[in-house]
Amino acid sequence: MPKKPKSEATRKAQRKLKTYQTSLGFYDQAVAAPSMKAALEAWGASSNLFHQGAAKETDDPDIVAATMASPGVVLRRPVGSDGPFTESAKLPTDLADSEAKRKPRPNSKPESKSKSKQRPAEGATKQLRKIDDQDARKAAAAFEKEERRRDAARRKEEAAIARERAKERARRDKAVATAQATLDAAKREHDAKAEAIEAERAALDERAEAEQGRWDKQRKKLEEALRRART
């Protein structure tokens, strides 16, 4: 019985989702995403790990199958291990042993590049052939759902930051208003005192001027009396 040809929706879904892999911190991470940019966003990377050589597209059939089952969800496993990728991977109990396992033994012969590349490619092709129309639609819908969840979480975080900034701005405005009111009150008190002092100074000047006039008259009379006495 001939196989039923894949629909256009299936082919588009398969082209849309690819599996990307990187290592961040203590974990290897993998995600099924439509592009490198989407993978970087899912990982929360602040730089282009692909340009840096720290991330790549993988066709490992086991990794592809795990990520395609949960599109858009970042799967993890302890760095350097060859275990399955899961959503809740545990940290390795001995990082030194994990690092030692990553290093090849001196006497071991590296597997030829042609075989190592050929087997995953063939396995990935077989795995992708198993994805029918319904699985492809589910994978695409699951990825979109995960993206909406991340967008909602990001919007929630941005709203919380905006509220905190608004509270801080309100506290600052209140502090500025209090300080301005205190300054204005002190200035009014100073102006009142300066005005009173100025009034007192004007009164003193007037008294001083009157006293000078009285003295000038008295001095003339006394000087006239002194002249008459001398003659």
Side-chain angles (χ1 to χ4, degrees):
M1 183 176 179
K3 293 184 180 179
K4 182 180 179 180
K6 295 182 180 180
S7 68
E8 183 64 21
T10 302
R11 289 192 294 270
K12 287 183 178 180
Q14 290 178 355
R15 286 198 302 268
K16 180 179 180 182
L17 297 180
K18 298 179 182 180
T19 297
Y20 300 98
Q21 183 178 350
T22 187
S23 293
L24 295 173
F26 297 120
Y27 294 104
D28 291 333
Q29 300 190 18
V31 64
S35 64
M36 293 180 180
K37 181 180 179 181
L40 292 172
E41 291 178 354
W43 291 329
S46 58
S47 59
N48 194 325
L49 301 178
F50 293 97
H51 287 177
Q52 299 170 5
K56 64 180 181 178
E57 180 183 348
T58 180
D59 54 8
D60 186 293
D62 294 331
I63 303 177
V64 171
T67 56
M68 288 298 178
S70 301
V73 178
V74 177
L75 305 182
R76 298 178 176 85
R77 70 182 180 188
V79 66
S81 68
D82 56 0
F85 280 86
T86 62
E87 291 187 49
S88 56
K90 295 182 179 179
L91 280 171
T93 55
D94 192 338
L95 295 177
D97 292 345
S98 298
E99 184 66 21
K101 291 178 181 179
R102 295 176 64 185
K103 297 180 179 179
R105 295 179 180 178
N107 296 331
S108 62
K109 295 182 179 180
E111 187 177 6
S112 64
K113 293 183 180 179
S114 59
K115 292 183 179 180
S116 63
K117 290 183 179 179
Q118 183 178 4
R119 283 201 296 271
E122 293 175 353
T125 302
K126 292 179 181 179
Q127 180 63 34
L128 291 176
R129 286 174 180 172
K130 295 179 181 178
I131 301 178
D132 57 11
D133 291 351
Q134 184 178 2
D135 291 337
R137 286 194 297 271
K138 287 182 179 179
F143 180 83
E144 292 176 359
K145 181 179 180 181
E146 178 64 18
E147 274 202 331
R148 288 195 299 270
R149 184 194 66 79
R150 283 199 301 268
D151 289 341
R154 183 169 56 252
R155 287 193 298 269
K156 183 178 180 181
E157 182 180 359
E158 290 173 352
I161 293 174
R163 286 194 300 271
E164 186 62 29
R165 287 178 177 173
K167 290 180 181 178
E168 180 63 26
R169 190 161 50 248
R171 287 193 295 267
R172 185 170 60 251
D173 292 344
K174 183 178 180 180
V176 170
T178 300
Q180 185 65 50
T182 302
L183 174 62
D184 293 342
K187 186 176 185 301
R188 286 193 298 269
E189 182 181 2
H190 163 73
D191 291 343
K193 289 182 177 180
E195 186 177 353
I197 293 173
E198 188 63 29
E200 292 177 2
R201 180 185 291 116
L204 288 174
D205 290 342
E206 187 177 352
R207 289 173 56 189
E209 186 177 351
E211 174 61 23
Q212 185 66 39
R214 186 197 64 79
W215 164 246
D216 289 341
K217 291 179 181 180
Q218 184 181 15
R219 179 175 55 81
K220 289 179 180 179
K221 289 180 180 180
L222 294 175
E223 287 177 349
E224 182 64 25
L226 178 61
R227 280 196 303 271
R228 286 196 302 267
R230 286 176 178 174
T231 58

